[in-house]
Structure formats: C-alpha cells, structure tokens
Amino acid sequence: LNSQSVVMSSKLSTATVVVVVLLAATCGVAQKQHRIPADQAEAVPLPTPCKALQYPTARLVEVTTYAGNATGDIPIFLYRGSAPTGENHTVMLADDLLLCMQQIAQELGFTHWFPNDTSQVYLLDVNLQNPIGSTNELHDFMLEANYFANSTEQMRGEVLHWLTVGDDVDPQTLPQDQLERLAKSLGQWQADSLVWRVERLQQFALSGPKLVLPRVDGYGAIGIYVHCTGGKDRTGETVGAYALRYHRYKFAQVVAMNTAIAGRPIGTHQYNALKWYCYYLKYGVAGDYASLDCAVPNQ
C-alpha cells in the first residue's frame, strides 16, 4: 500500500502524545497511532491491579485505531510488563492484567477507547520466557498456554511464544568490517529474530484485526502484552528494538527507558542483542537510521 505519514500533536485529557496518521490510499483504511513517550508512561502511578503481577513494570507503549473491518474501529493497545502469573507462579491473572491495562490507558487519557467491560478485550499474550531453562518460567508458560486452551477462555485471546535469550557477543568487540557485515545480515542469524519480531509487532499494532479475524469479531479492543518474567531484560530488548525502529528513539533514549523501568541496566546478553539491532538499522536499513549512535554504554 502507498501511504503518507503526517505527524502532529494531540491533547488527550491530561496526556500529550504524538499522533501518526497513516492514510492507506488504495483501500480507504486509516490508522491513528498514538505513541506514548517513555517519560510520560513512567510518570503514570501504577494502578492497584498491576501490583498483582510479579513486578511493577507494566507500561503502555502505543495505541492504534484500526478502521475498515466488519466490527468498525478497533483500538489496539500495545503494552510491556512482567509475567501475569503472580509471585508464586500458580495462576494466570488475566482479569488483573486486563484491569491493569485498562487503568493505565485511562490514566493516559484513553478512557473512551478501552472498553469498560474488560471481557470485550481480545488479549494477545506475547511470552518471551524460556520454559526449558527455568522451572518457574515453565510454570508461567504452561499457565498461560492452558488458560487460552481452555474452552471457556480460548475466544478471549491467545499466547504467542517468542523464546528470547539475547546475544553473547558485543558487536563493538569486532573489527568494523565484520560488525557491518554481520549487522546487515542480522535477520539471517540472530537467535531472537528481532528483525522479524519487530516487524511482526508493527503488523499487529497496525492491522491486528486483519491478522486474527474472525476471532476478534465482536470485541471492543485488542490488547497486546509483551512480557518476560520481570518485564525488564528480555522485554526491554524486544520493546526497545521496536522503539528504535518505529518510534525513532535514539539508542541512548532506549537505554535510559529500559534502565528507568528496570531500576538498573538490562542484562548484558539482552543489551548486546539490542545493540546488534541498532547496528542493523544503522548499516542494514540506513537512510534516516544511518546517524544512530549505537555505542551508548548500558547504564
């Protein structure tokens, strides 16, 4: 589709966000994408339902309205956070998670977008955990998988498993020619497949209903929830890469965002993977990304 992008600012309740309007000329579909600045998301007091989750790391990343489907406009909310299974890894806290998502959206001015009845939200649970590397993460994954496999819950959403491990090698330790060659071919070798995953998240954020219809038919919104266990390291890697590509954050801004949410620098392996993705944008995609400074320390 040929599209045009128009950037403007919009005042929503007490929240000021950036609005990107994408006009799809060939089919008349319009999407309005509200990108939540990291400092603004961080300033929102954590609602009580969010505290039932393992760690206080739930944040709204962006909101998109999707038009032109059978059910009319459907807002798509993209969040990051911790595992929705509680400290004891014993139960899927879907209701608490949806209330958490609802109240964060309301705090940021999207009161009329997020349904009052959270059962009207289709939940896309993007799980980044390693079920073969940790007993607790195995429990979390099975709780989420079993929840959505239940005949009474399977129409409320689904879980996607994107095992995330990071990268061992810091690209800056390599000779420049090797760094550039490997960065350009990142999509061919990186275990976490950030090139594909970031593009997939964008597809969900812009056209979620097209990807999961007819399952969302009759729902009032889609909630995409990206999480690992604590919502810090692997989540920071994945959402940080998304912010680099589609929010046009500088690498320093992504590092600062992840550190603010985690309360510390993210893990070395996840930082390496995020840095590789930064170099992929710089050398592989280039254009407006060619000026990225990917050598910012993890602090």
Side-chain angles (χ1 to χ4, degrees):
L1 295 177
N2 295 322
S3 62
Q4 296 177 322
S5 295
V6 182
V7 181
M8 64 193 77
S9 65
S10 173
K11 192 78 170 180
L12 290 176
S13 185
T14 58
T16 302
V17 300
V18 174
V19 181
V20 177
V21 182
L22 301 175
L23 302 176
T26 59
C27 60
V29 175
Q31 297 108 0
K32 292 183 178 180
Q33 192 169 31
H34 304 262
R35 298 169 178 176
I36 314 301
D39 57 348
Q40 182 180 318
E42 186 68 16
V44 172
L46 198 68
T48 299
C50 301
K51 297 175 184 177
L53 309 180
Q54 287 192 45
Y55 300 96
T57 54
R59 303 290 188 277
L60 179 59
V61 178
E62 69 182 27
V63 185
T64 305
T65 53
Y66 179 87
N69 57 79
T71 58
D73 290 5
I74 295 182
I76 306 169
F77 293 82
L78 174 61
Y79 294 83
R80 61 176 290 174
S82 63
T85 54
E87 294 182 2
N88 297 321
H89 308 271
T90 56
V91 62
M92 172 65 173
L93 300 172
D95 291 336
D96 290 292
L97 173 59
L98 288 167
L99 284 172
C100 170
M101 295 164 72
Q102 179 191 61
Q103 292 184 24
I104 288 176
Q106 290 173 345
E107 287 286 342
L108 285 165
F110 297 97
T111 302
H112 301 297
W113 293 34
F114 203 103
N116 290 327
D117 180 359
T118 58
S119 69
Q120 293 301 305
V121 179
Y122 190 89
L123 180 61
L124 285 178
D125 177 353
V126 183
N127 184 313
L128 307 178
Q129 293 176 300
N130 182 1
I132 62 174
S134 162
T135 300
N136 283 338
E137 296 198 356
L138 173 61
H139 289 164
D140 287 347
F141 176 73
M142 292 309 300
L143 284 169
E144 293 170 45
N146 289 336
Y147 173 82
F148 290 112
N150 186 295
S151 60
T152 62
E153 304 296 346
Q154 60 185 348
M155 292 304 294
R156 294 187 62 183
E158 60 192 287
V159 59
L160 307 177
H161 185 219
W162 290 355
L163 174 66
T164 302
V165 295
D167 288 321
D168 291 336
V169 176
D170 182 336
Q172 284 183 264
T173 64
L174 301 177
Q176 184 65 24
D177 62 332
Q178 292 183 25
L179 186 162
E180 291 186 26
R181 184 167 62 251
L182 286 169
K184 290 177 181 178
S185 63
L186 186 69
Q188 300 175 31
W189 61 263
Q190 190 180 49
D192 292 348
S193 302
L194 285 177
V195 173
W196 178 85
R197 290 179 181 181
V198 166
E199 291 177 358
R200 188 64 170 168
L201 275 179
Q202 175 73 344
Q203 289 172 355
F204 276 123
L206 286 181
S207 56
K210 271 193 172 181
L211 298 176
V212 297
L213 279 174
R215 286 168 288 177
V216 298
D217 190 36
Y219 283 85
I222 296 175
I224 307 170
Y225 187 68
V226 181
H227 75 88
C228 50
T229 297
K232 301 176 182 180
D233 302 301
R234 290 164 290 186
T235 303
E237 172 193 329
T238 304
V239 177
Y242 186 88
L244 279 173
R245 181 65 191 264
Y246 293 114
H247 291 192
R248 299 301 180 95
Y249 275 27
K250 297 178 180 178
F251 190 58
Q253 290 176 295
V254 169
V255 170
M257 172 185 70
N258 283 334
T259 298
I261 292 174
R264 56 162 174 76
I266 66 171
T268 299
H269 290 82
Q270 288 69 46
Y271 170 71
N272 288 343
L274 185 56
K275 187 186 287 187
W276 272 114
Y277 187 77
C278 182
Y279 280 118
Y280 159 75
L281 293 177
K282 182 179 181 70
Y283 297 120
V285 179
D288 291 341
Y289 300 103
S291 62
L292 277 172
D293 178 4
C294 304
V296 176
N298 187 22
Q299 60 187 20

